[in-house]
Amino acid sequence: MGDLELLLPGEADVLIPTLVEELIAVEMWKQKVFPVLCRLEDFKPQNTFPIYMVLHHEASIINLLETVFFHKEVCESAEDTVLDLVDYCHRKLTLLVARSGRGGPPEEEESQYSTPIQELQKQAELMEFEIALKALSVLRYITDCVDSLSLSTLNRMLTTHNLPCLLVELLEHSPWRRQEGGKLQQFEGGRWQTVAPSEQQKLSKLDGQVWIALYNLLLNPEARARYCLTSFAKGQLLKLRAFLTDILLDQLPNLADLQGFLAHLALTETQLPKKDLVLEQIPEIWERLERDNRGKWQAIAKHQLRHIFSPSEQDLRLQARRWAETYRLDVLEAVTPERPRCAFCSAEASKRCSRCQNEWYCCRECQVKHWEKHGKACVPAAQGDRAK
């Protein structure tokens, strides 16, 4: 076991902000440096593995954050960087909606006519799609913590980005679903899979994440009080009524509350946009990185081409060994809270819900007492996992 396992639980307070900053740094590199790198005349790498690992690094971090943000205490430890993470998720989901009209990501299959760079760009596009889906899960977990979020974060989610309306667009377009050869396909487990006719009415895990995020943002009293229901927002939200069928409500019963909210909304007068003077925090990682490197992107690309992406055989072996150390599974244990806690009584837990594998319990009695609440999320989560 590595040294990371010796970290105290409180040190996750340092690791989470570090991971968020690293996530955004790689995102910016992909947008600002990678395209310049691919256009350089002398960019003819014999081995694209070092560049692929940089691209893969963002996917690794968002996977890790998806795992640890399931625990609400981790969201609290993110502190100010949760603002940056909300902005990151918003950027990814906006791109996901924008590309929904162009179909899903390319199939991951090699062509004998493709150059290594073209293959790398195709892999980057597929990876970007998967990262956006993970960002959706992270955002849903952040909405689970609405009660403990700062006012600045709530304002960012509800006013600056109007996340409820963005989530409605995601449900409308469902970019993780497509028709191919007359058959319905769904993106699960990193690839497109055909959905059997008997399974097509089942709520997918991704659809479930969107519905739960909407539920959290629209029905939490604190969030609801701060969300301005303009005529545009009202029109967008009322589109949800067409999706709230009896079949969906059977699978996610707590959406009946959302259905009631929409029925009331239909009879409610709209509000004018609020013009309150609010002193708030703003995310700073993206702006700082962009400000510090503005005008330097080409120089950075040329420097990295010479010193990082043209390694000798020996350097390549050393890098591979270092990456193998970096991506050990025991890194998860360093940022996950010390022990799982019972979802009902908060005691240390050793038993996990066998159906969805998400909630932990200290005993059978607590699981039974918690079922009335947990059952609403357990069934769709388990169905999504089985589909994989």
Side-chain angles (χ1 to χ4, degrees), residues 92-107:
K92 295 299 179 184
L93 297 189
T94 300
L95 288 172
L96 197 57
V97 169
R99 71 176 298 161
S100 60
R102 309 196 310 264
E107 298 288 355

Side-chain angles (χ1 to χ4, degrees), residues 307-323:
H307 301 285
I308 300 174
F309 298 129
S310 302
S312 65
E313 194 69 31
Q314 183 179 3
D315 288 340
L316 198 58
R317 287 198 189 97
L318 288 172
Q319 286 181 13
R321 192 175 302 126
R322 190 159 61 246
W323 282 319

Side-chain angles (χ1 to χ4, degrees), residues 15 37 41 52 55 63 67 73 75 86 101 104 107 133 150 157 173 221 258 264 290 300 310 322 332 337 348 351 357:
L15 281 172
L37 196 62
E41 289 184 9
Y52 175 80
L55 297 171
N63 267 298
T67 300
E73 52 266 49
C75 186
V86 165
E107 298 288 355
L133 299 183
S150 68
M157 297 170 77
H173 298 292
L258 181 58
H264 176 73
E290 191 171 39
I300 291 171
S310 302
R322 190 159 61 246
L332 280 170
E348 279 197 6
K351 304 178 189 300
Q357 298 292 310

Side-chain angles (χ1 to χ4, degrees), residues 16-30 57-63 65 84-85 88-89 91-92 131 135 138 285-286 289:
I16 298 301
T18 301
L19 285 172
V20 173
E21 175 139 2
E22 187 81 1
L23 181 75
I24 294 170
V26 179
E27 179 196 20
M28 180 166 287
W29 182 90
K30 285 169 62 177
H57 189 49
E58 184 183 5
S60 299
I61 297 172
I62 195 67
N63 267 298
L65 289 174
D84 294 274
L85 190 54
Y88 172 88
C89 293
R91 287 192 294 272
K92 295 299 179 184
I131 287 169
V138 171
I285 296 176
W286 177 276
L289 291 173

Side-chain angles (χ1 to χ4, degrees), residues 1 56 173 201 245 248 359:
M1 293 296 185
H56 187 267
H173 298 292
Q201 294 297 321
T245 62
L248 175 61
E359 291 285 22

